[in-house]
Amino acid sequence: IQEKIEEVLTKMEGKPVELTGALRTEAGVHAYKQVANFHTETDKKTYEIKQYLNRYLPRDIAVLEALEVNERFHAAFNAKQFIFEYRITIGEVPSVFDRKYNYYCFKRPDIAKMKQAAKELVGTHDFKAFSDNKRMKKSTVRTVSSIDIYGDEKEITVTVAADDFGQTWQES
């Protein structure tokens, strides 16, 4: 996605533009309301940049908002918290429409047990055991401030608020 946005920004600017995202996601992970920044010398207004991006980006990428920020703003370093949402679809037949976005489960998990287990993850912990890069140089210690689990008969949503996770799972 970063590459696609950079291609469109480079076309708009007439020279290479580097995009910095707040968080790197793994392949197959979808980012909703991802924050990113770039530097430009264009005379376009922010709403024109947003329109330009949405006109030329593939339809599975959308820019929701464009803002002018302080020159020193950095999407990754200025972020205070990240919110991750995981969805579990439940039923006898997996949804062909949700297959790329939701985890599928034939039997309904016990939400009460999930909430009890989630309490163990809230706080500051070393998540190195969850990393596929065992020689990572960066710290794998992260702080989870909250985990909310709710749902109905067809779907369960798990929302995790944490200070970071993107670099825990993969080295950029």
Side-chain angles (χ1 to χ4, degrees), residues 10-44:
T10 296
K11 179 180 174 182
M12 178 190 82
E13 188 77 358
K15 62 182 182 179
V17 176
E18 185 177 318
L19 185 76
T20 302
L23 184 72
R24 292 183 61 88
T25 61
E26 293 184 52
V29 173
H30 305 279
Y32 179 68
K33 293 189 178 181
Q34 166 77 288
V35 175
N37 67 277
F38 61 92
H39 298 277
T40 182
E41 295 172 10
T42 186
D43 292 332
K44 291 184 184 304

Short mmCIF file of all heavy atoms in Angstrom, two decimals, residues 10-44:
data_model
loop_
_atom_site.label_atom_id
_atom_site.label_comp_id
_atom_site.label_asym_id
_atom_site.label_seq_id
_atom_site.Cartn_x
_atom_site.Cartn_y
_atom_site.Cartn_z
N THR A 10 4.29 10.61 -6.19
CA THR A 10 5.40 10.92 -7.09
C THR A 10 4.87 11.46 -8.42
O THR A 10 5.41 12.42 -8.97
CB THR A 10 6.29 9.68 -7.30
OG1 THR A 10 6.88 9.34 -6.04
CG2 THR A 10 7.38 9.93 -8.32
N LYS A 11 3.79 10.87 -8.91
CA LYS A 11 3.16 11.35 -10.15
C LYS A 11 2.64 12.78 -9.94
O LYS A 11 2.84 13.65 -10.79
CB LYS A 11 2.00 10.41 -10.52
CG LYS A 11 1.25 10.81 -11.76
CD LYS A 11 0.12 9.80 -12.03
CE LYS A 11 -0.74 10.26 -13.18
NZ LYS A 11 -1.86 9.35 -13.43
N MET A 12 2.03 13.02 -8.78
CA MET A 12 1.48 14.35 -8.47
C MET A 12 2.60 15.38 -8.33
O MET A 12 2.50 16.49 -8.85
CB MET A 12 0.67 14.28 -7.17
CG MET A 12 0.09 15.61 -6.72
SD MET A 12 -0.59 15.52 -5.04
CE MET A 12 0.91 15.73 -4.06
N GLU A 13 3.67 15.00 -7.67
CA GLU A 13 4.76 15.92 -7.34
C GLU A 13 5.76 16.10 -8.49
O GLU A 13 6.45 17.11 -8.57
CB GLU A 13 5.49 15.40 -6.08
CG GLU A 13 6.52 16.33 -5.50
CD GLU A 13 5.91 17.47 -4.71
OE1 GLU A 13 4.69 17.61 -4.61
OE2 GLU A 13 6.71 18.27 -4.19
N GLY A 14 5.86 15.09 -9.35
CA GLY A 14 6.83 15.16 -10.45
C GLY A 14 8.23 14.76 -10.02
O GLY A 14 9.18 14.92 -10.78
N LYS A 15 8.38 14.26 -8.83
CA LYS A 15 9.65 13.74 -8.32
C LYS A 15 9.34 12.77 -7.18
O LYS A 15 8.22 12.79 -6.64
CB LYS A 15 10.57 14.87 -7.84
CG LYS A 15 10.04 15.69 -6.69
CD LYS A 15 11.01 16.80 -6.33
CE LYS A 15 10.49 17.59 -5.14
NZ LYS A 15 11.39 18.65 -4.74
N PRO A 16 10.29 11.91 -6.80
CA PRO A 16 10.01 10.89 -5.78
C PRO A 16 9.54 11.49 -4.44
O PRO A 16 10.07 12.49 -3.98
CB PRO A 16 11.36 10.19 -5.60
CG PRO A 16 12.08 10.42 -6.88
CD PRO A 16 11.65 11.78 -7.35
N VAL A 17 8.51 10.86 -3.88
CA VAL A 17 7.97 11.25 -2.58
C VAL A 17 8.01 10.01 -1.69
O VAL A 17 7.56 8.94 -2.09
CB VAL A 17 6.51 11.76 -2.70
CG1 VAL A 17 5.93 12.05 -1.33
CG2 VAL A 17 6.45 13.00 -3.58
N GLU A 18 8.54 10.18 -0.48
CA GLU A 18 8.61 9.07 0.48
C GLU A 18 7.49 9.21 1.50
O GLU A 18 7.30 10.27 2.10
CB GLU A 18 9.98 9.11 1.18
CG GLU A 18 10.20 7.93 2.11
CD GLU A 18 11.58 7.96 2.72
OE1 GLU A 18 12.55 8.26 2.00
OE2 GLU A 18 11.68 7.71 3.94
N LEU A 19 6.76 8.14 1.71
CA LEU A 19 5.65 8.10 2.66
C LEU A 19 6.11 7.38 3.93
O LEU A 19 6.74 6.34 3.86
CB LEU A 19 4.47 7.35 2.04
CG LEU A 19 3.18 7.31 2.85
CD1 LEU A 19 2.47 8.66 2.76
CD2 LEU A 19 2.27 6.21 2.32
N THR A 20 5.78 7.94 5.09
CA THR A 20 6.09 7.32 6.37
C THR A 20 4.80 6.98 7.08
O THR A 20 4.00 7.86 7.40
CB THR A 20 6.92 8.28 7.27
OG1 THR A 20 8.11 8.64 6.57
CG2 THR A 20 7.26 7.64 8.60
N GLY A 21 4.57 5.69 7.32
CA GLY A 21 3.37 5.24 8.02
C GLY A 21 3.61 5.17 9.52
O GLY A 21 4.74 5.01 9.98
N ALA A 22 2.53 5.27 10.29
CA ALA A 22 2.64 5.19 11.74
C ALA A 22 3.00 3.78 12.18
O ALA A 22 3.66 3.59 13.19
CB ALA A 22 1.33 5.61 12.40
N LEU A 23 2.60 2.79 11.41
CA LEU A 23 2.81 1.41 11.80
C LEU A 23 2.89 0.55 10.56
O LEU A 23 2.10 0.70 9.64
CB LEU A 23 1.62 0.95 12.66
CG LEU A 23 1.67 -0.44 13.26
CD1 LEU A 23 2.72 -0.49 14.38
CD2 LEU A 23 0.32 -0.81 13.83
N ARG A 24 3.85 -0.35 10.55
CA ARG A 24 3.94 -1.31 9.45
C ARG A 24 3.09 -2.52 9.80
O ARG A 24 3.14 -3.01 10.91
CB ARG A 24 5.39 -1.74 9.21
CG ARG A 24 6.25 -0.61 8.68
CD ARG A 24 7.65 -1.09 8.39
NE ARG A 24 7.68 -2.15 7.40
CZ ARG A 24 7.76 -1.96 6.08
NH1 ARG A 24 7.79 -0.76 5.60
NH2 ARG A 24 7.80 -2.99 5.26
N THR A 25 2.32 -2.98 8.84
CA THR A 25 1.50 -4.17 9.07
C THR A 25 2.05 -5.32 8.25
O THR A 25 2.74 -5.12 7.26
CB THR A 25 0.03 -3.93 8.68
OG1 THR A 25 -0.03 -3.62 7.29
CG2 THR A 25 -0.58 -2.81 9.50
N GLU A 26 1.74 -6.51 8.68
CA GLU A 26 2.15 -7.68 7.93
C GLU A 26 1.27 -7.84 6.70
O GLU A 26 0.16 -7.31 6.65
CB GLU A 26 2.02 -8.93 8.81
CG GLU A 26 2.99 -8.94 9.98
CD GLU A 26 2.90 -10.21 10.78
OE1 GLU A 26 3.00 -11.29 10.16
OE2 GLU A 26 2.74 -10.12 11.99
N ALA A 27 1.75 -8.60 5.73
CA ALA A 27 0.96 -8.88 4.54
C ALA A 27 -0.35 -9.53 4.96
O ALA A 27 -0.37 -10.39 5.83
CB ALA A 27 1.73 -9.80 3.60
N GLY A 28 -1.45 -9.08 4.38
CA GLY A 28 -2.75 -9.65 4.70
C GLY A 28 -3.45 -8.95 5.85
O GLY A 28 -4.62 -9.20 6.12
N VAL A 29 -2.75 -8.05 6.54
CA VAL A 29 -3.36 -7.30 7.64
C VAL A 29 -3.85 -5.98 7.06
O VAL A 29 -3.15 -5.31 6.31
CB VAL A 29 -2.35 -7.05 8.78
CG1 VAL A 29 -2.93 -6.13 9.84
CG2 VAL A 29 -1.90 -8.37 9.39
N HIS A 30 -5.06 -5.60 7.42
CA HIS A 30 -5.67 -4.40 6.88
C HIS A 30 -5.61 -3.28 7.90
O HIS A 30 -5.93 -3.48 9.06
CB HIS A 30 -7.11 -4.68 6.47
CG HIS A 30 -7.20 -5.83 5.52
ND1 HIS A 30 -6.95 -5.69 4.18
CD2 HIS A 30 -7.47 -7.14 5.72
CE1 HIS A 30 -7.07 -6.86 3.60
NE2 HIS A 30 -7.39 -7.76 4.51
N ALA A 31 -5.19 -2.12 7.48
CA ALA A 31 -5.10 -0.96 8.37
C ALA A 31 -6.24 -0.01 8.08
O ALA A 31 -6.41 0.45 6.96
CB ALA A 31 -3.76 -0.26 8.18
N TYR A 32 -7.02 0.27 9.10
CA TYR A 32 -8.12 1.22 8.98
C TYR A 32 -7.72 2.46 9.77
O TYR A 32 -7.29 2.35 10.92
CB TYR A 32 -9.40 0.61 9.54
CG TYR A 32 -10.60 1.52 9.49
CD1 TYR A 32 -11.17 1.86 8.27
CD2 TYR A 32 -11.15 2.04 10.63
CE1 TYR A 32 -12.26 2.70 8.20
CE2 TYR A 32 -12.26 2.88 10.59
CZ TYR A 32 -12.80 3.20 9.36
OH TYR A 32 -13.88 4.03 9.30
N LYS A 33 -7.80 3.61 9.14
CA LYS A 33 -7.41 4.88 9.75
C LYS A 33 -5.92 4.91 10.09
O LYS A 33 -5.50 5.46 11.10
CB LYS A 33 -8.26 5.19 10.98
CG LYS A 33 -9.71 5.45 10.63
CD LYS A 33 -10.48 5.96 11.83
CE LYS A 33 -11.90 6.27 11.46
NZ LYS A 33 -12.67 6.78 12.59
N GLN A 34 -5.12 4.33 9.22
CA GLN A 34 -3.67 4.41 9.35
C GLN A 34 -3.24 5.86 9.14
O GLN A 34 -3.79 6.55 8.28
CB GLN A 34 -3.03 3.50 8.30
CG GLN A 34 -1.55 3.70 8.05
CD GLN A 34 -0.67 3.11 9.13
OE1 GLN A 34 -0.63 3.64 10.23
NE2 GLN A 34 0.01 2.03 8.82
N VAL A 35 -2.30 6.33 9.91
CA VAL A 35 -1.78 7.69 9.77
C VAL A 35 -0.43 7.61 9.08
O VAL A 35 0.38 6.74 9.38
CB VAL A 35 -1.64 8.37 11.15
CG1 VAL A 35 -0.99 9.74 11.02
CG2 VAL A 35 -3.00 8.49 11.82
N ALA A 36 -0.22 8.51 8.13
CA ALA A 36 1.05 8.56 7.40
C ALA A 36 1.38 10.02 7.10
O ALA A 36 0.51 10.88 7.14
CB ALA A 36 0.94 7.76 6.10
N ASN A 37 2.65 10.26 6.84
CA ASN A 37 3.04 11.62 6.47
C ASN A 37 4.04 11.59 5.32
O ASN A 37 4.70 10.59 5.07
CB ASN A 37 3.59 12.40 7.66
CG ASN A 37 4.91 11.87 8.17
OD1 ASN A 37 4.95 10.92 8.94
ND2 ASN A 37 6.01 12.48 7.74
N PHE A 38 4.10 12.72 4.61
CA PHE A 38 5.05 12.91 3.52
C PHE A 38 5.31 14.40 3.38
O PHE A 38 4.55 15.23 3.88
CB PHE A 38 4.52 12.31 2.21
CG PHE A 38 3.25 12.93 1.72
CD1 PHE A 38 3.27 14.01 0.84
CD2 PHE A 38 2.02 12.44 2.15
CE1 PHE A 38 2.09 14.60 0.40
CE2 PHE A 38 0.84 13.02 1.71
CZ PHE A 38 0.87 14.09 0.83
N HIS A 39 6.39 14.73 2.71
CA HIS A 39 6.72 16.14 2.46
C HIS A 39 6.47 16.42 0.98
O HIS A 39 6.79 15.61 0.12
CB HIS A 39 8.19 16.41 2.82
CG HIS A 39 8.47 16.19 4.27
ND1 HIS A 39 8.23 17.15 5.22
CD2 HIS A 39 8.96 15.13 4.93
CE1 HIS A 39 8.55 16.68 6.41
NE2 HIS A 39 8.99 15.45 6.26
N THR A 40 5.90 17.58 0.72
CA THR A 40 5.59 17.95 -0.66
C THR A 40 5.84 19.44 -0.87
O THR A 40 5.82 20.22 0.09
CB THR A 40 4.11 17.61 -0.99
OG1 THR A 40 3.87 17.96 -2.35
CG2 THR A 40 3.13 18.36 -0.10
N GLU A 41 6.06 19.79 -2.11
CA GLU A 41 6.21 21.20 -2.47
C GLU A 41 5.05 21.65 -3.36
O GLU A 41 5.10 22.73 -3.93
CB GLU A 41 7.55 21.39 -3.20
CG GLU A 41 8.74 21.10 -2.31
CD GLU A 41 10.06 21.10 -3.08
OE1 GLU A 41 10.09 21.52 -4.25
OE2 GLU A 41 11.06 20.68 -2.48
N THR A 42 4.02 20.84 -3.44
CA THR A 42 2.88 21.15 -4.31
C THR A 42 2.13 22.39 -3.83
O THR A 42 2.16 22.73 -2.65
CB THR A 42 1.90 19.95 -4.39
OG1 THR A 42 0.90 20.26 -5.36
CG2 THR A 42 1.25 19.67 -3.05
N ASP A 43 1.48 23.04 -4.76
CA ASP A 43 0.62 24.18 -4.44
C ASP A 43 -0.81 23.72 -4.16
O ASP A 43 -1.67 24.54 -3.83
CB ASP A 43 0.60 25.18 -5.60
CG ASP A 43 1.95 25.87 -5.77
OD1 ASP A 43 2.67 26.01 -4.77
OD2 ASP A 43 2.26 26.27 -6.91
N LYS A 44 -1.06 22.41 -4.31
CA LYS A 44 -2.41 21.89 -4.10
C LYS A 44 -2.83 22.05 -2.64
O LYS A 44 -2.02 21.94 -1.73
CB LYS A 44 -2.48 20.40 -4.46
CG LYS A 44 -2.32 20.10 -5.93
CD LYS A 44 -2.49 18.60 -6.19
CE LYS A 44 -2.26 18.22 -7.62
NZ LYS A 44 -3.05 18.91 -8.60
#
